Amino acid sequence: NAGVTQTPKFRVLKTGQSMTLLCAQDMNHEYMYWYRQDPGMGLRLIHYSVGEGTTAKGEVPDGYNVSRLKKQNFLLGLESAAPSQTSVYFCASSYAGDFGYGYTFGSGTRLTVV
Amino acid sequence: AQKITQTQPGMFVQEKEAVTLDCTYDTSDPSYGLFWYKQPSSGEMIFLIYQGSYDQQNATEGRYSLNFQKARKSANLVISASQLGDSAMYFCGGTSYGKLTFGQGTILTVHP
């Protein structure tokens, strides 16, 4: 089924550990986004990409890095996890960054940092 | 930069009644889009409705309508004939310069 797949769905990390979240889409979308969702804060944009090989900072980029080496994949990395990064992470993709083409969301990754 | 504001943390409505969820936006982009998503307790993001900044008429999708008032920079969601299944978190958002930005969300509870 076409869509956005996030891996893993759940993860528990210890403070200081590193990890990478993978977002994969098979819709040939140009634009991809990483968000974090926290109670009372809505979804906040971490980083986004407007095409293969490009990345840009969103509202809350500190503590995260991203890469878009292949068009279909957008990776979110935490180099040294902190408890403040406990959150639900969502990935989204879009054909052209204009909602007229629609945005597709993944099912989310629940990350706990202890 | 675009900013989306939802000032209602929670709303309650009686089943079969209409409810309006508020959303205001601020952007310097002359071309932008506004939309609403629903997030039930399962966590998935469900697209509801979209309005382009140049659209002349308010968007309508079934029981959902978007009350777009450009001068007031508001994009309120109106749900008619509320159903128990409408109980969920609702996010207003906007697209501007390729970025997709969301508000804080409103939790809607529908009472029988």
Side-chain angles (χ1 to χ4, degrees):
Chain A
N1 293 332
V4 175
T5 303
Q6 291 184 231
T7 309
K9 296 192 184 307
F10 303 92
R11 184 73 184 269
V12 178
L13 280 180
K14 292 183 179 179
T15 298
Q17 286 185 321
S18 63
M19 78 162 293
T20 301
L21 281 67
L22 170 63
C23 177
Q25 53 91 7
D26 57 3
M27 298 168 286
N28 201 35
H29 283 176
E30 291 290 339
Y31 289 63
M32 296 187 75
Y33 309 83
W34 275 109
Y35 293 89
R36 58 177 291 173
Q37 182 178 8
D38 303 291
M41 306 292 285
L43 277 80
R44 293 180 292 170
L45 182 63
I46 303 172
H47 286 281
Y48 64 105
S49 168
V50 300
E52 182 179 311
T54 74
T55 62
K57 294 180 179 180
E59 304 168 77
V60 289
D62 294 343
Y64 305 95
N65 56 73
V66 288
S67 64
R68 183 98 182 267
L69 299 179
K70 293 183 178 180
K71 187 176 184 178
Q72 63 268 34
N73 295 336
F74 195 29
L75 280 66
L76 178 71
L78 286 73
E79 291 186 348
S80 179
S84 61
Q85 294 177 304
T86 293
S87 187
V88 179
Y89 292 84
F90 282 96
C91 175
S93 72
S94 169
Y95 179 69
D98 182 310
F99 198 75
Y101 292 97
Y103 291 89
T104 303
F105 280 83
S107 57
T109 296
R110 186 172 294 275
L111 175 66
T112 302
V113 182
V114 297
Chain B
Q2 184 177 62
K3 183 174 174 62
I4 306 292
T5 303
Q6 294 178 254
T7 57
Q8 304 160 315
M11 288 286 287
F12 296 89
V13 66
Q14 207 71 28
E15 191 179 11
K16 299 181 184 178
E17 292 186 347
V19 63
T20 297
L21 305 184
D22 294 341
C23 174
T24 58
Y25 64 92
D26 188 19
T27 180
S28 57
D29 189 354
S31 177
Y32 53 89
L34 299 156
F35 57 87
W36 282 86
Y37 271 87
K38 173 184 178 181
Q39 187 181 49
S41 57
S42 60
E44 63 184 308
M45 294 289 286
I46 302 171
F47 166 72
L48 296 179
I49 197 166
Y50 169 78
Q51 177 90 38
S53 58
Y54 293 114
D55 293 343
Q56 295 296 316
Q57 294 185 320
N58 286 342
T60 302
E61 293 285 347
R63 295 185 298 110
Y64 305 106
S65 61
L66 197 152
N67 185 0
F68 182 47
Q69 298 188 39
K70 207 167 185 176
R72 298 181 61 182
K73 295 190 174 183
S74 70
N76 298 339
L77 176 70
V78 180
I79 305 175
S80 62
S82 297
Q83 302 172 354
L84 296 178
D86 292 335
S87 292
M89 173 76 84
Y90 289 81
F91 290 105
C92 176
T95 59
S96 177
Y97 298 114
K99 289 171 65 173
L100 179 60
T101 308
F102 289 90
Q104 304 91 324
T106 297
I107 299 175
L108 176 65
T109 303
V110 181
H111 290 302

